[in-house]
Amino acid sequence: MPRIEFRRGSLSEQIVTIMRQRIQAGDYPRGEKLPTEQDLIEEFGVSRTVVREAIANLKAGGLVSTRQGVGVFVQRHVPLRSFVIEDPDLKLVNEAIAVLELRVALEVEAAGLAASRRDEKHLKEMRKAMKAMVQATEAGEDAIQADLAFHRSIAEASGNVHFLQLFNYLGELMIPRTKFETFKITGANREDYLKHLNEEHAAILAAIEAKAPEDARRAMRIHLIGSKDRLAAGAAVAAKVQLA
């Protein structure tokens, strides 16, 4: 089977769209097992991480369920199409800003809960992701997956499964840099921009390590609102340049 050609944007969300359409059309029959992870990797020509992200999103949306050691199955009673943020819209800066506003509502409280409920396993995952972000920045590499892992580990540490499920559903939509090179829009140097983000992440981690819920909420709010404001300011400058 020839590989599917993807447009620019989040691969996992595009795969989710394709698989959702197949489920609705009956190409993946209800109650039946989906193709294996390896089959999906070969068909779509993407990494294992991308396929797992897509399956997690489908699961969070109530379209599929997993059976330990058996595989992933289409739910017999597939729900009506739920809330969806369309991928093409996220190429617009205004939509990316809107997603950041949604993240403030979601992740500020998750950070506070994580500070109260985290255990050493959660902290280990956060530190691992933090280290990966720093190393990627120093090497001039992409830190998006490590960024996602950091925020996902906070959602998990909240102890509320709904925070984690919603985060998994939103997936790569949560990180604006998956859509465009944000540092260019903000006018910042790439390395300086990522270092600043890492400092904000470090402040969040420190508050969670210290079991300081209000400090964790404050650090997460500063991080997310700062990202939103930087993006909005950069977009405003870019618009003025285009009009000049």
Side-chain angles (χ1 to χ4, degrees):
M1 180 182 296
R3 287 185 176 179
I4 294 172
E5 293 295 326
F6 292 106
R7 64 184 184 277
R8 294 182 65 184
S10 165
L11 293 178
S12 66
E13 278 302 307
Q14 292 178 57
I15 292 173
V16 166
T17 298
I18 292 170
M19 295 183 72
R20 185 189 294 115
Q21 290 172 346
R22 290 178 180 178
I23 290 171
Q24 298 291 355
D27 296 333
Y28 293 153
R30 300 183 185 193
E32 296 298 315
K33 184 178 178 181
L34 286 180
T36 66
E37 184 178 89
Q38 188 58 43
D39 287 340
L40 293 173
I41 289 170
E42 293 176 1
E43 177 186 357
F44 293 117
V46 297
S47 69
R48 191 175 306 277
T49 298
V50 170
V51 169
R52 288 181 176 177
E53 183 82 40
I55 295 299
N57 290 348
L58 290 170
K59 183 178 178 182
L63 294 176
V64 303
S65 61
T66 55
R67 299 181 192 173
Q68 192 66 33
V70 180
V72 181
F73 290 77
V74 179
Q75 294 281 43
R76 290 192 178 277
H77 300 289
V78 176
L80 294 175
R81 192 170 187 266
S82 56
F83 170 70
V84 175
I85 297 176
E86 297 293 349
D87 181 75
D89 293 339
L90 283 172
K91 293 179 182 177
L92 302 175
V93 173
N94 286 341
E95 286 300 321
I97 291 171
V99 170
L100 281 166
E101 291 175 346
L102 174 61
R103 290 183 64 189
V104 172
L106 171 69
E107 293 190 72
V108 167
E109 184 58 24
L113 292 174
S116 298
R117 301 172 178 175
R118 95 293 187 278
D119 57 26
E120 283 305 313
K121 177 184 176 182
H122 297 135
L123 290 178
K124 182 179 179 180
E125 290 301 314
M126 292 178 209
R127 290 166 184 153
K128 178 181 176 182
M130 186 76 239
K131 182 179 179 180
M133 283 189 284
V134 171
Q135 290 177 336
T137 299
E138 292 175 348
E141 298 174 350
D142 182 2
I144 290 172
Q145 290 304 318
D147 197 336
L148 278 167
F150 180 78
H151 286 276
R152 183 181 290 110
S153 65
I154 293 173
E156 184 172 7
S158 73
N160 185 323
V161 67
H162 299 296
F163 279 112
L164 181 59
Q165 288 178 342
L166 182 54
F167 189 95
N168 284 335
Y169 169 72
L170 292 170
E172 292 181 7
L173 302 181
M174 299 293 273
I175 309 296
R177 297 199 311 281
T178 63
K179 303 299 163 188
F180 39 71
E181 294 180 293
T182 310
F183 71 92
K184 289 184 178 179
I185 295 175
T186 63
N189 171 274
R190 180 184 185 278
E191 185 175 356
D192 290 343
Y193 176 77
L194 294 179
K195 282 183 176 179
H196 184 71
L197 290 183
N198 288 344
E199 290 171 359
E200 292 179 345
H201 288 136
I204 296 167
L205 175 57
I208 293 175
E209 287 177 323
K211 286 195 170 184
E214 289 309 312
D215 288 345
R217 290 186 178 96
R218 186 180 304 108
M220 182 65 81
R221 186 179 294 108
I222 288 171
H223 171 54
L224 295 176
I225 291 180
S227 294
K228 178 177 74 73
D229 290 346
R230 287 189 292 268
L231 192 56
V237 171
K240 288 181 180 179
V241 171
Q242 290 178 350
L243 290 173

